[in-house]
Amino acid sequence: MNAVDLGVNLFVALFALLDPIGNVPIFAAATAGASLRQRISVSAMICLFAVVFLGFFFFTGLGLLQFFGISLAAFRIAGGILLLLLGLDMAREDFLAIFADADAATDAKDVRGYAKRRFKRLIVPFAIPLMIGPGAISAVIINAGEAAKLGLVGTVSSLVAMVAACVVTFLCFSATGPISRLLGDVGMAIVVRVLGLILCALAIQFILMGLGEALPGMFSAGVTAPYPAGGE
């Protein structure tokens, strides 16, 4: 796997895990009555937090695994199981409704103060663990292990993917109003379920890769590494 493939894979995984489209209804409910500037400010704070938080685990995650004596293969399998459970939850149930918040802004001019108040309220459970849960952390740590094999170019590719995923999330949250009107309730439900299906597939891939490392020869190379370098 080359650096471009690594970055693209991480971006796709984080896009499904951060779920910017599916989380729009939650963000809309949590910022009900807010002005456009207030929503943009809250979105910027949440997404900046996401970049810093994911970056922290990208650079320290492997060290933490070594400290606790956990192999990357075991972490792949454990992370894959967590991803699978989350994906099934997203695909089966009204995953987003429980996060609705009826609070509304009272002063449209109070942008900074409103953003700080809403950010404090949305750190838990919106930013963590809904957006940045065990799945996202697992994906970043596993990616860090692959990036280490490629050196600096792998690290840069992964960081670009993380920033890109958070930028897309910021743009989606900033456009909460138009997206909600465009997709409607039915469209939002479909998006959440489709992303849940993608998440399940990514989870199975993580588990297969972990088992392939723990038990060499158990699976063919086409199963554990479906997109080898060179496109063969």
Side-chain angles (χ1 to χ4, degrees):
M1 180 182 293
N2 57 38
V4 175
D5 292 335
L6 184 69
V8 170
N9 287 347
L10 179 59
F11 173 81
V12 172
L14 288 179
F15 181 82
L17 290 163
L18 297 179
D19 192 10
I21 302 296
N23 283 328
V24 163
I26 299 177
F27 188 76
T31 56
S35 66
L36 177 60
R37 290 181 60 195
Q38 288 173 327
R39 275 181 171 163
I40 290 176
S41 296
V42 177
S43 175
M45 294 183 72
I46 290 175
C47 294
L48 181 60
F49 171 79
V51 170
V52 174
F53 196 79
L54 292 174
F56 170 80
F57 279 99
F58 179 83
F59 287 108
T60 65
L62 291 176
L64 291 175
L65 292 183
Q66 293 176 359
F67 178 78
F68 288 106
I70 302 172
S71 69
L72 189 58
F75 196 81
R76 285 185 194 273
I77 297 171
I81 293 173
L82 290 174
L83 286 177
L84 181 61
L85 294 174
L86 180 59
L88 290 173
D89 194 22
M90 291 174 64
R92 289 178 176 178
E93 302 178 9
D94 188 4
F95 184 70
L96 307 175
I98 60 174
F99 292 92
D101 193 332
D103 289 348
T106 57
D107 184 2
K109 296 181 180 180
D110 181 21
V111 177
R112 181 175 300 181
Y114 174 80
K116 289 182 179 179
R117 291 193 300 272
R118 295 312 300 156
F119 175 70
K120 291 178 181 179
R121 286 286 304 275
L122 292 176
I123 290 179
V124 179
F126 184 67
I128 303 173
L130 179 59
M131 282 181 56
I132 314 169
I137 295 173
S138 301
V140 167
I141 294 178
I142 291 171
N143 183 272
E146 298 297 327
K149 301 176 184 178
L150 300 175
L152 180 60
V153 66
T155 299
V156 172
S157 176
S158 299
L159 292 177
V160 169
M162 285 188 286
V163 172
C166 291
V167 168
V168 171
T169 301
F170 166 75
L171 294 175
C172 290
F173 288 169
S174 298
T176 292
I179 292 177
S180 299
R181 290 191 295 271
L182 177 64
L183 295 179
D185 293 339
V186 175
M188 290 293 186
I190 293 174
V191 168
V192 172
R193 281 156 178 77
V194 169
L195 288 176
L197 177 61
I198 295 174
L199 201 57
C200 289
L202 288 171
I204 296 299
Q205 190 63 51
F206 281 160
I207 293 173
L208 290 175
M209 291 177 68
L211 290 174
E213 291 182 1
L215 303 170
M218 183 177 183
F219 302 102
S220 67
V223 173
T224 57
Y227 306 109
E232 299 179 0

